[in-house]
Amino acid sequence: MKSLLKVLVAATASAASVLVISAVAFAATPAQNAATISVSQVSQSSDNLTLSARFGASAAGSKVTFFVQTQEFAGHGWMAVGSASASSSGEATYTYTPTWTGSTVFGAAVGSETSVTSPSVTGSFNVLKDPTGLPQSVIEYARPLGGAGGVLVKSLLATVAIIWVLLLGALLLVIVRMPRLAGEAVIDESRRD
Amino acid sequence: MRKVSQKKSSSDELSVISEESCGCSVDGQSCTITSMVEAGEPAASDDKEFSRRRFLSLLGAAAGAAAVIGSGIELLSYRAYAQGLPQTNGWTGNSGVTGSGAATMASSEAPPTHQWAMVIDLSMCNGCKSCTAACQKAHYLTPDQTWIDVFTLTDAEGKTYPMPRPCMQCENPPCLHVCPVHATFRQDQGVVLVDQERCIGCRMCMAACPYQARYFNWNSNVQYPKLSVPPSPEMPVPQRLGTVGKCTFCVGNLNNGLLSECAAGCPMGAIYNGDLKTDVAVNSLGSTVKLSSFLYDNNAVTFKPEQNTHPRVWYIQGDGQDLNDNKASQSS
Amino acid sequence: MKEMEINEKALLAEDGGGKAAQTGWSAEVRRAAVAPMTGKTSTTWKLIVAVCSLFVLAGIGTWLYQLKHGLGAAGYNDQAFWAVYIVDVIAFIGVSYGGAVISAILRLTGQSWRAPLTRLAEGTALVTVAIGALYIFPHLGRPERFWEIVVFVNTSSPLFWDFIAIGTYVLATVIFFYLPLVPDMAIVNRMLGKKNRPIQYKVYNLLSLKWLGTEKQRRLLHGAMSLVALIIVPLAVSVHSVLSWAFATTSRPGWMETVFPPYFVVAALYSGTALVIVVASAFRKGYHLEKYIHTRHFVRLGYVMAAMGLVYAYLTLADLLSEGYTGITSGWIYQTVLGRWAIPFWFYVVVGEVMPIALVAVKRTRNIKGMTIASLGVVISLWIKRIVIVLPPVTQPLIGNQWGTYHFTWVSVTITLAGVAAIPLGLMLLFRVLPVLSIDEMEEMGEIGSTEQISEFTAAAEKRLAVGATNGNGHANGNVNGHSNGDAVPVTQGEVQ
């Protein structure tokens, strides 16, 4: 957590500098440089999250891109998850479906997905549930007659078993019956005598 | 048990801190690599954990196997993967079954937190074969053992372009279906692995693989270094003579928050490691993309889709490149 | 082995045998069948056994070498991962089907002329199936783990079903070989007695199941044999189909062919019939069976072989044409017909199809020599044809256009030659302890059924009986093959050449 805070602090610091530059460029109301991002659950029934970012009226109408910080593959980089247009009050919201749980850092920046690569504001949120299952491609693969596999295997094994029973049965019958038949023949002959 | 988890979490912290302090992603990697090796040792000796996992897996497998094609007596086949390698994920059920993700989800309380994938951007690849070299160095392979190989294909203009080919980690792997002893198995994160301690060397899997992704340990004159961990399906060093091998997706690296060797070794950033579950993909240049949109926006394709193998490796094609053009893959 | 004398009293069938069995011809049959089991062996016999044993031992030694150094020593590589040994498995098990199916079909259709051939055919089937099954071990990289197939069963693997199929077929072949032996072992024991062979006597006594040849015993045995013959025909077909599916269930162009199961079955019957002809020809000469196996037998088997050859040529065309025409995945076809595999392919076409069929078609060559040459050509070229079926698809590039190569090494050649040498060795050792002719069956069919040159041989046999077995010289009548009856040495000295 301590390390997370450090990251947060660093991120906000850089965000502030960005905002200062933008303020100069637009020469807009300087008081409103407290850009924020907030995260909330969409509703009681939905595990999706509403990401909303305020950049003030200066950002009205422009694209706002939302980010999430990944925890995989060494980079811990910012992944753009989508973008939305800011309202006249400079607020943009985006409905995000979380794909993992745990404390997650979200961010937003003014600009389209191709023009910005990292957020100007960040905030952390503890995601408790992620509604995503595995992607469709993981679940689904079809082979023709795939479902028949079990039945096929069983019937094939049964066929093999029948063949073995027939073969060994024939052998066993000969082994058991043959000496008896010989015995009968001997008895017959002795009677004849 | 507790000791192990403590050590693991400490190594996790270590990696975060080091990443922070270095500030540079390349340095961060080198730091975490050392921490991974440390974390590897205690897990290796944890037999209880192993058997519990195995039991859980069998339970999971029991529920899942019904849905499996030609399931037969597949439960017997299970052999726990990753004996000896650290796992950052808590969930370890249902390994080694051909079962689909659906079965996994249904049969277990905690689904896998990762589903590894890969994206190869052919428009970025310059054919330098650094991926092959990095992979062979890290896994102590001989020059002809190529977990990732770079082939030369022809595009629509008749120009050639390089095409790296790792194991496709198919979701419907032909190699797995044909293995008579279940030496090939698919662990719960979707990675297809070979158990060289079980493989009988029949090479049926090599015949079945449409991607030439498998090789065989033909000769006994290969020298291997002694590692601190015993050979495992995830890190088969030393390899066994007379058994089959293939790319392991560096699943140990991925589970430790690292890139695979080939992706990390690619100077062009053409290879992305991805996670279908979290929908993230990252390359060696540190560019992080949302996997699903990345694939969609770039018209990503899989190799030989007609084979119905459902690879976990996607390709992004450049101008005129057509991976599945028959002329390129078949010639007289 | 010590010399054994034939009990003269046992030369005549006791009862039960057909009427012809009571004639002197029956005594001749018994002498000829049992002669190789008695007495000293000739120098030629010893030499052949010694040379073949050497080859087999060399093969086993080479296999041990290969175990130590890896399959790379046999020329294998990642783009030629299946090669010689799987071809050996297919080829040897294939020729085995020929022997078994020929024998079974002739038995089921009541072809009485089969009688002198059945033991040879079934013996060939038994020996070759054993050799073929053993080739699985050099094929595997880790043969010591073979037991895992039974323990870690994967029913979706074609190799599991291969294992089941071969196992079932071996069982059927053993039973099919044993059943007709029941009366013969009783006869052998009666003829050779206990002296000098106490252990063999005991074993045969046990295995002959107190055979007396009564009507009821005969009916029981025939019933069992018919059942096994009935099973073995579809079994042989399905087993070789399963073998072919080890190839055809992969997605490899050139292997994933719908034609493969019949392709393999017909190849097996074709080469199997050919090997029966070769074996019959060799044993006819070496074991003095000229009186029982005639030109007619060879010609009839030759017809069967030619028919199979035509079907096989048709299937080869069917395999190549459709893919070659569309050209979708035809790289392997080009390499087979015109490319790097053209020489072995056209060798098969000429020596394995044109030559044998021509030899059967032309009346002048339709004799024992012609049939033998044709069969030898078929056996050899069908092994080569299997190489051509396996190697082009396996070496083809599935990505890019780098073709793989396979080079024969001394390791693979030595191990393959061991199997080839094991056929005569196995048969010669087999017929050292078991009668080379199916005595009881021949007696049952009678002289008329079993032989063709009825009058000549009846005359010869009767005269022979009158003269007595001790008289070795004197007449050279009636043998169409120019082999004098008089050459046959008295059986008490019975040599095998």
Side-chain angles (χ1 to χ4, degrees):
Chain A
M1 274 318 289
K2 216 174 179 184
S3 59
L4 207 62
L5 277 177
K6 276 189 194 170
V7 174
L8 273 180
V9 170
T12 5
S14 67
S17 63
V18 170
L19 276 181
V20 169
I21 293 165
S22 66
V24 171
F26 287 101
T29 47
Q32 286 208 351
N33 64 351
T36 57
I37 179 165
S38 66
V39 183
S40 61
Q41 206 164 320
V42 168
S43 70
Q44 203 67 26
S45 58
S46 167
D47 294 322
N48 286 348
L49 301 178
T50 303
L51 312 181
S52 58
R54 284 169 219 264
F55 286 97
S58 61
S62 50
K63 279 266 180 202
V64 172
T65 298
F66 291 89
F67 294 89
V68 59
Q69 191 179 32
T70 64
Q71 294 160 352
E72 293 179 282
F73 310 125
H76 289 245
W78 291 105
M79 178 173 88
V81 292
S83 57
S85 294
S87 65
S88 54
S89 63
E91 182 179 355
T93 58
Y94 179 79
T95 306
Y96 171 68
T97 307
T99 55
W100 63 83
T101 56
S103 182
T104 307
V105 182
F106 295 90
V110 179
S112 68
E113 282 185 48
T114 47
S115 62
V116 288
T117 53
S118 59
S120 54
V121 286
T122 59
S124 113
F125 183 80
N126 193 18
V127 181
L128 293 175
K129 277 172 112 180
D130 74 87
T132 52
L134 294 173
Q136 195 64 16
S137 65
V138 180
I139 297 166
E140 174 189 288
Y141 47 83
R143 288 203 287 180
L145 300 178
V151 181
L152 189 70
V153 166
K154 276 170 202 146
S155 50
L156 279 174
L157 283 173
T159 312
V160 172
I162 289 169
I163 292 172
W164 278 71
V165 165
L166 281 176
L167 285 173
L168 291 173
L171 184 66
L172 208 68
L173 190 74
V174 170
I175 290 174
V176 172
R177 285 283 291 160
M178 196 67 81
R180 284 191 196 160
L181 289 175
E184 282 171 24
V186 172
I187 290 165
D188 284 352
E189 266 179 34
S190 65
R191 275 185 194 149
R192 219 179 292 157
D193 295 341
Chain B
M1 278 285 293
R2 191 166 291 170
K3 197 179 165 191
V4 174
S5 56
Q6 272 174 0
K7 184 129 190 189
K8 261 184 206 164
S9 59
S10 68
S11 77
D12 283 353
E13 271 177 26
L14 178 72
S15 67
V16 172
I17 292 163
S18 62
E19 199 261 334
E20 230 175 275
S21 56
C22 295
C24 160
S25 68
V26 177
D27 285 350
Q29 271 173 35
S30 63
C31 291
T32 46
I33 283 170
T34 52
S35 72
M36 180 200 81
V37 175
E38 275 176 349
E41 285 165 351
S45 57
D46 197 347
D47 284 340
K48 271 187 189 167
E49 170 71 354
F50 167 67
S51 63
R52 188 186 63 87
R53 266 181 215 156
R54 191 189 169 106
F55 178 68
L56 282 177
S57 323
L58 283 170
L59 281 182
V68 169
I69 299 154
S71 58
I73 315 171
E74 263 157 335
L75 297 185
L76 290 174
S77 78
Y78 172 71
R79 183 176 167 126
Y81 75 103
Q83 305 171 32
L85 276 171
Q87 290 185 314
T88 49
N89 302 298
W91 196 85
T92 50
N94 210 19
S95 303
V97 178
T98 55
S100 59
T104 307
M105 291 296 287
S107 65
S108 111
E109 287 175 25
T113 47
H114 301 288
Q115 289 296 322
W116 303 123
M118 185 180 274
V119 186
I120 296 176
D121 190 343
L122 292 177
S123 62
M124 303 274 273
C125 177
N126 65 354
C128 68
K129 299 199 181 188
S130 300
C131 50
T132 311
C135 171
Q136 288 181 332
K137 185 157 179 271
H139 302 112
Y140 309 99
L141 304 176
T142 62
D144 55 336
Q145 294 177 337
T146 44
W147 286 11
I148 183 165
D149 199 357
V150 182
F151 289 87
T152 305
L153 302 187
T154 314
D155 67 10
E157 277 188 334
K159 280 189 284 190
T160 58
Y161 64 95
M163 186 275 201
R165 182 245 45 206
C167 170
M168 300 291 162
Q169 310 295 350
C170 308
E171 285 171 4
N172 187 13
C175 55
L176 186 149
H177 297 308
V178 301
C179 178
V181 295
H182 291 286
T184 293
F185 60 96
R186 192 157 172 255
Q187 48 91 294
D188 60 315
Q189 296 167 329
V191 177
V192 180
L193 296 173
V194 181
D195 187 345
Q196 293 193 338
E197 298 303 317
R198 175 175 293 181
C199 174
I200 60 169
C202 68
R203 311 187 286 291
M204 187 75 208
C205 51
M206 296 176 76
C209 178
Y211 305 109
Q212 275 180 226
R214 286 172 168 254
Y215 65 86
F216 195 76
N217 290 295
W218 298 111
N219 294 308
S220 57
N221 56 1
V222 185
Q223 299 293 321
Y224 293 103
K226 278 205 169 173
L227 299 191
S228 57
V229 288
S232 68
E234 289 171 333
M235 187 64 177
V237 180
Q239 298 195 47
R240 295 273 182 224
L241 176 71
T243 61
V244 164
K246 73 168 190 62
C247 160
T248 62
F249 237 37
C250 292
V251 68
N253 282 17
L254 300 184
N255 276 325
N256 280 287
L258 296 171
L259 290 175
S260 66
E261 300 294 339
C262 52
C266 178
M268 310 299 290
I271 302 178
Y272 291 75
N273 285 125
D275 184 345
L276 294 172
K277 177 69 182 66
T278 57
D279 209 12
V280 176
V282 176
N283 71 358
S284 63
L285 304 181
S287 96
T288 307
V289 293
K290 192 180 180 197
L291 179 59
S292 52
S293 341
F294 188 60
L295 296 177
Y296 181 83
D297 295 343
N298 291 293
N299 293 321
V301 296
T302 54
F303 189 33
K304 302 195 182 186
E306 76 280 3
Q307 299 279 351
N308 199 26
T309 51
H310 298 266
R312 281 270 179 101
V313 176
W314 280 266
Y315 287 89
I316 291 169
Q317 303 177 122
D319 296 332
Q321 293 176 349
D322 186 357
L323 205 57
N324 292 304
D325 177 14
N326 267 325
K327 266 186 297 180
S329 56
Q330 288 294 326
S331 61
S332 51
Chain C
M1 199 181 278
K2 284 172 191 164
E3 262 183 57
M4 283 174 271
E5 290 194 8
I6 289 178
N7 181 1
E8 295 291 333
K9 281 179 199 161
L11 280 176
L12 285 180
E14 17 319 300
D15 62 325
K19 277 173 197 162
Q22 303 296 344
T23 66
W25 176 80
S26 166
E28 297 256 333
V29 170
R30 292 189 172 200
R31 273 180 199 284
V34 176
M37 299 172 62
T38 63
K40 283 184 284 185
T41 49
S42 70
T43 328
T44 325
W45 192 91
K46 280 178 189 148
L47 198 71
I48 293 174
V49 166
V51 170
C52 288
S53 305
L54 262 179
F55 270 103
V56 171
L57 285 177
I60 293 169
T62 312
W63 178 53
L64 294 176
Y65 172 88
Q66 180 191 292
L67 271 184
K68 186 168 182 291
H69 292 267
L71 268 164
Y76 283 70
N77 57 67
D78 288 332
Q79 263 189 289
F81 52 83
W82 278 2
V84 176
Y85 300 137
I86 196 139
V87 167
D88 290 335
V89 173
I90 301 163
F92 280 98
I93 293 184
V95 289
S96 158
Y97 294 150
V101 167
I102 288 286
S103 175
I105 287 181
L106 296 182
R107 194 184 292 278
L108 286 173
T109 51
Q111 299 290 316
S112 58
W113 59 272
R114 74 170 195 271
L117 289 174
T118 47
R119 180 61 42 76
L120 279 172
E122 287 156 19
T124 311
L126 187 74
V127 169
T128 48
V129 79
I131 301 168
L134 284 178
Y135 268 107
I136 293 170
F137 292 103
H139 173 71
L140 292 180
R142 285 261 161 196
E144 82 276 12
R145 295 180 183 167
F146 187 71
W147 56 272
E148 292 183 348
I149 289 190
V150 190
V151 181
F152 306 117
V153 172
N154 178 8
T155 50
S156 63
S157 169
L159 289 190
F160 168 73
W161 295 103
D162 272 0
F163 173 72
I164 294 264
I166 293 173
T168 310
Y169 178 69
V170 168
L171 176 78
T173 316
V174 171
I175 295 175
F176 195 56
F177 184 72
Y178 167 66
L179 288 180
L181 268 176
V182 169
D184 282 15
M185 283 193 282
I187 293 170
V188 166
N189 262 3
R190 219 168 293 129
M191 286 175 75
L192 295 180
K194 219 183 246 183
K195 208 180 140 200
N196 288 339
R197 52 188 279 278
I199 299 168
Q200 200 186 44
Y201 184 88
K202 252 183 210 164
V203 173
Y204 284 18
N205 210 20
L206 203 70
L207 290 177
S208 61
L209 306 171
K210 296 187 181 165
W211 173 264
L212 292 172
T214 65
E215 196 58 36
K216 277 181 182 172
Q217 282 190 325
R218 222 163 261 285
R219 224 180 296 145
L220 175 66
L221 189 69
H222 284 192
M225 285 202 292
S226 299
L227 179 65
V228 176
L230 206 59
I231 292 173
I232 214 165
V233 175
L235 189 64
V237 170
S238 57
V239 169
H240 225 58
S241 302
V242 173
L243 266 186
S244 82
W245 281 321
F247 296 89
T249 52
T250 68
S251 62
R252 214 159 257 272
W255 283 357
M256 195 182 65
E257 310 284 329
T258 44
V259 79
F260 254 41
Y263 201 25
F264 274 51
V265 171
V266 172
L269 294 176
Y270 187 29
S271 59
T273 319
L275 189 69
V276 169
I277 294 177
V278 173
V279 167
S281 170
F283 278 81
R284 177 181 180 274
K285 192 130 204 200
Y287 281 50
H288 302 295
L289 306 176
E290 289 93 342
K291 292 190 210 83
Y292 315 104
I293 305 174
H294 307 296
T295 312
R296 241 336 154 68
H297 288 112
F298 286 91
V299 172
R300 280 178 184 174
L301 285 179
Y303 287 153
V304 175
M305 185 180 76
M308 289 297 163
L310 288 171
V311 177
Y312 191 64
Y314 160 68
L315 290 175
T316 306
L317 180 71
D319 181 31
L320 296 177
L321 184 69
S322 53
E323 273 190 56
Y325 185 84
T326 59
I328 293 172
T329 54
S330 55
W332 65 275
I333 295 181
Y334 176 83
Q335 294 295 347
T336 302
V337 180
L338 298 170
R340 63 185 69 201
W341 302 102
I343 292 172
F345 177 78
W346 291 103
F347 178 87
Y348 145 74
V349 170
V350 174
V351 182
E353 290 284 0
V354 176
M355 189 267 288
I357 289 171
L359 285 177
V360 175
V362 178
K363 204 176 176 191
R364 259 189 64 189
T365 54
R366 212 181 293 148
N367 51 35
I368 296 175
K369 213 180 206 174
M371 293 304 101
T372 309
I373 292 170
S375 307
L376 266 177
V378 170
V379 171
I380 293 167
S381 62
L382 272 220
W383 187 87
I384 290 169
K385 178 70 199 303
R386 262 71 163 255
I387 283 277
V388 175
I389 287 177
V390 169
L391 279 181
V394 82
T395 52
Q396 74 185 318
L398 298 179
I399 317 171
N401 48 18
Q402 274 296 318
W403 278 79
T405 51
Y406 179 80
H407 297 291
F408 289 90
T409 64
W410 67 270
V411 173
S412 56
V413 171
T414 313
I415 292 181
T416 301
L417 284 180
V420 176
I423 298 179
L425 181 67
L427 284 172
M428 284 165 87
L429 293 179
L430 193 67
F431 296 132
R432 182 84 178 129
V433 293
L434 292 170
V436 66
L437 294 173
S438 189
I439 303 171
D440 188 63
E441 226 171 321
M442 285 180 75
E443 288 176 351
E444 236 174 71
M445 295 306 141
E447 187 176 6
I448 295 164
S450 299
T451 62
E452 298 297 327
Q453 286 81 1
I454 307 152
S455 55
E456 290 159 306
F457 272 97
T458 319
E462 276 169 2
K463 198 168 180 184
R464 195 97 190 276
L465 196 71
V467 172
T470 43
N471 185 357
N473 285 314
H475 55 273
N477 63 329
N479 195 316
V480 272
N481 302 306
H483 183 280
S484 166
N485 283 340
D487 287 355
V489 248
V491 196
T492 38
Q493 297 170 17
E495 275 198 347
V496 182
Q497 286 169 14

